[in-house]
Amino acid sequence: MKETVIGIQDLSKSFGNHEVLRKIDMEIHAGEIICIVGSSGSGKSTLLRCINKLERQTAGKILYHGKEVRDSQREINEYRAKVGMVFQSFNLFNNMTVLKNCMICTRKVLHLSKEEAFDRAITHLKEVGMAPFIHAKPSQLSGGQKQRVAIARSLCMNPEVLLFDEPTSALDPEMVGEVLQVMKQLATTGLTMIIVTHEMAFAKDVSTRTIFMDRGYVAEDAAPSQLFTNPKNPRTREFLKRYLAG
Amino acid sequence: MGFNIWAIENPENSLEWMVYLTDKYLNMFLEGTWLTLYIAVLGTLLGFVLGYVVGIIQDLKINQGDNFIKKILIKTLKIIASVYVEIFRDTPMIVQAMIIYYGIRQMGVNMTPIVAGIIVTVLNTGAYMAETVRGGIGSIDQGQREGAWAMGMSPMKTMLYIVLPQAFKNIIPEMANTFLTNLKMTSVLNVIAVQELFMAAKTVGGNYYKYFESYLVIAAIYFVLCFVFNKLFKLIEKRMKGKNDYTLAVEYMDNE
């Protein structure tokens, strides 16, 4: 087994009395493509947000290369620079052009020179096919284009792990394809990816490991070939049946 | 015609009195206008800076992982900020002017009325701006910050590069409003003997017992000043909107 990049130990998260995550234990190894599936409210997105420290866990730990990521702002910032995130609502900076969006964090967080930051931005924008749009503002792009820029922006940080929080859920059906295509391409580069998604065909096709979450628990954690064709947990079976039915 | 507008010797109606007074006390009105502008512009600009600082302080979040000293520091700053904003928003500027001017003089510090006037304007503007800035920051979608945080940007840099520029754009109309209010509110500073426009009108009117006419003169001056600035701000706002189109970077086209 490859090296563990992120370790999740005994992670719980409650909003008031509502328990969203219950004692999650998980290890994410270098190069894995993990798809997390499950119905709405099962805690998938919260888990991802806890991994990026956007939510503070109620109990438990997140480990990065075996070392706990503590809650000091400094440690969190350093950790996030290595573990990027792509959001459902894109979250491109509205006051900046596509190019600026891709350069601001490399300039201000990694302190790259202007030339280096520009080269990186262009390289990754080319990868997602958005380089011709460097002068556009986010409001002038379609949803699929925005998400491709958001992916390029995250890649500019040279992250070790990239988290995707339902990257295609806010898109029109005909734009889902272009984003999934980019992600498929990324999956071949060896980048570690954790993807929360409702695209079952994509999960089955691309992931090296699929996790089914149910009511805050990891109900099943298996290879996609097994989880999708021969699920062990009755809840998984039920969920997949509903999905396939429509 | 033989009628020279600037040579009225014995004014008979109000209009003639206005012309007569303007002519005779031109220097006084001009100095009053200059001082009004000076206090309003300087007071507003410094007040904006103060307002931004206080607004950002009010928006600070205490991080659970921060050390004890930092937590106490943030907490203290937040308390000071909210007490300040509350006091200055809940008392009239005219009273603040009296208290600050006479208060500081009583402490033995010699301060000119103009300096006191600027201080009052700054503190007053700062309190209102703080609330405007807080509202402006709050109007920016949380996702904008999360997008920056998720790439390791610190909350302070996120505020500076992502949130504030967007909030600033949104609150320009409110900032223009504040400036126009200040331009007119400087008139209350006559109570601490600042020789601004209102004071000029009061003096001039008193000389001839022609208050109506002399206040009409400064009303016209205030109106013209505000009107011109209003147009100016509209222009700036339009400029800030930016272009509606963009050019494709054709040099990268072949990579599509």
Side-chain angles (χ1 to χ4, degrees):
Chain A
M1 199 33 88
K2 276 192 174 171
E3 185 193 3
T4 304
V5 184
I6 292 177
I8 301 167
Q9 284 183 359
D10 221 10
L11 188 82
S12 296
K13 171 74 188 171
S14 312
F15 292 107
N17 285 330
H18 183 56
E19 272 191 87
V20 186
L21 296 177
R22 305 173 205 230
K23 291 189 182 290
I24 307 274
D25 274 294
M26 200 187 286
E27 289 203 334
I28 291 130
H29 307 102
E32 278 191 307
I33 313 290
I34 300 178
C35 278
I36 305 178
V37 299
S39 44
S40 299
S42 58
K44 314 178 296 281
S45 286
T46 308
L47 174 61
L48 215 59
R49 289 172 63 83
C50 280
I51 295 178
N52 195 262
K53 289 271 172 184
L54 285 173
E55 300 289 349
R56 190 167 186 271
Q57 70 275 17
T58 318
K61 291 180 196 173
I62 304 281
L63 297 119
Y64 180 62
H65 288 292
K67 196 168 161 282
E68 187 187 350
V69 184
R70 284 175 304 169
D71 280 325
S72 88
Q73 194 63 53
R74 201 200 165 92
E75 266 185 50
I76 289 177
N77 292 347
E78 282 168 9
Y79 164 75
R80 279 173 178 162
K82 301 305 289 170
V83 179
M85 183 149 174
V86 173
F87 298 85
Q88 180 177 352
S89 51
F90 327 121
N91 295 350
L92 292 180
F93 308 134
N94 293 327
N95 55 329
M96 297 177 188
T97 61
V98 166
L99 183 64
K100 270 269 179 71
N101 259 284
C102 293
M103 285 174 70
I104 182 82
C105 286
T106 42
R107 293 275 290 140
K108 302 299 176 192
V109 179
L110 302 182
H111 304 290
L112 295 189
S113 73
K114 222 172 188 167
E115 293 73 33
E116 264 181 292
F118 178 80
D119 288 344
R120 265 200 205 181
I122 294 293
T123 309
H124 292 298
L125 282 169
K126 275 182 183 167
E127 263 173 53
V128 301
M130 284 302 289
F133 296 91
I134 48 174
H135 303 306
K137 283 276 179 78
S139 59
Q140 294 160 329
L141 302 176
S142 73
Q145 290 176 323
K146 280 186 208 172
Q147 196 59 293
R148 286 190 281 151
V149 172
I151 292 171
R153 180 177 75 171
S154 298
L155 289 174
C156 286
M157 297 293 290
N158 281 353
E160 209 177 336
V161 181
L162 202 46
L163 312 170
F164 293 80
D165 186 10
E166 301 196 27
T168 59
S169 297
L171 300 178
D172 286 339
E174 65 254 52
M175 290 171 186
V176 171
E178 65 187 61
V179 172
L180 292 183
Q181 195 53 46
V182 166
M183 289 168 65
K184 261 184 203 170
Q185 172 61 35
L186 266 185
T188 64
T189 63
L191 177 72
T192 311
M193 292 158 76
I194 307 175
I195 307 160
V196 168
T197 186
H198 290 289
E199 300 289 331
M200 294 305 150
F202 173 81
K204 194 174 172 181
D205 198 21
V206 174
S207 67
T208 57
R209 187 172 147 198
T210 311
I211 289 168
F212 172 69
M213 282 192 67
D214 184 51
R215 293 181 226 167
Y217 294 104
V218 171
E220 196 158 353
D221 181 347
S225 53
Q226 195 201 320
L227 192 133
F228 283 102
T229 48
N230 188 21
K232 288 219 168 62
N233 192 314
R235 299 281 310 176
T236 319
R237 222 168 296 151
E238 210 178 296
F239 171 78
L240 288 174
K241 204 158 71 186
R242 253 185 299 136
Y243 243 92
L244 294 176
Chain B
M1 265 174 65
F3 175 76
N4 186 349
I5 190 167
W6 297 113
I8 295 169
E9 293 289 327
N10 300 302
E12 274 155 22
N13 55 36
S14 289
L15 191 65
E16 285 183 11
W17 266 111
M18 281 172 70
V19 175
Y20 180 76
L21 291 177
T22 312
D23 182 30
K24 185 152 186 196
Y25 296 102
L26 189 62
N27 272 340
M28 209 170 197
F29 283 123
L30 283 181
E31 271 163 31
T33 308
W34 162 244
L35 204 52
T36 291
L37 272 175
Y38 177 71
I39 294 174
V41 170
L42 197 62
T44 308
L45 287 180
L46 293 177
F48 282 170
V49 174
L50 180 65
Y52 271 95
V53 172
V54 176
I56 291 168
I57 288 174
Q58 287 184 316
D59 191 71
L60 285 179
K61 304 252 178 330
I62 294 168
N63 192 332
Q64 296 292 336
D66 286 337
N67 64 42
F68 187 68
I69 297 167
K70 196 174 167 193
K71 277 184 187 167
I72 293 280
L73 192 73
I74 293 178
K75 191 92 193 152
T76 317
L77 277 176
K78 281 177 86 109
I79 291 172
I80 294 172
S82 62
V83 168
Y84 156 66
V85 169
E86 225 31 72
I87 287 176
F88 276 85
R89 292 210 314 158
D90 298 354
T91 53
M93 185 164 156
I94 194 165
V95 177
Q96 294 163 13
M98 296 296 257
I99 291 174
I100 287 174
Y101 182 57
Y102 291 109
I104 291 181
R105 283 183 83 93
Q106 228 165 52
M107 286 190 291
V109 182
N110 214 351
M111 186 175 30
T112 66
I114 297 175
V115 174
I118 290 171
I119 291 175
V120 172
T121 311
V122 169
L123 290 174
N124 202 281
T125 310
Y128 280 95
M129 266 313 280
E131 284 299 289
T132 307
V133 169
R134 202 172 59 93
I137 291 171
S139 73
I140 304 303
D141 180 32
Q142 184 69 10
Q144 293 286 309
R145 300 179 195 213
E146 288 185 354
W149 292 345
M151 289 194 290
M153 202 183 255
S154 70
M156 218 49 211
K157 281 185 188 168
T158 303
M159 180 58 81
L160 203 63
Y161 297 117
I162 313 296
V163 181
L164 272 190
Q166 296 183 52
F168 179 79
K169 216 165 152 186
N170 288 354
I171 61 180
I172 285 178
E174 191 49 40
M175 285 166 72
N177 232 346
T178 305
F179 174 69
L180 292 186
T181 307
N182 278 348
L183 200 59
K184 291 172 285 182
M185 281 303 273
T186 51
S187 59
V188 308
L189 297 176
N190 80 88
V191 297
I192 54 169
V194 178
Q195 305 276 343
E196 42 64 62
L197 263 181
F198 190 90
M199 189 68 146
K202 206 158 122 183
T203 315
V204 171
N207 285 352
Y208 285 88
Y209 213 68
K210 285 288 173 197
Y211 287 110
F212 172 64
E213 288 77 3
S214 116
Y215 284 115
L216 267 182
V217 171
I218 64 159
I221 297 175
Y222 278 122
F223 181 86
V224 170
L225 286 182
C226 288
F227 190 83
V228 169
F229 275 109
N230 220 339
K231 287 277 174 265
L232 200 72
F233 292 138
K234 284 264 156 59
L235 214 73
I236 293 172
E237 215 180 307
K238 220 171 165 183
R239 266 289 189 63
M240 291 285 290
K241 273 230 170 80
K243 292 179 295 184
N244 271 327
D245 52 356
Y246 60 93
T247 45
L248 276 181
V250 283
E251 60 268 36
Y252 303 116
M253 275 304 243
D254 47 356
N255 294 290
E256 261 282 23

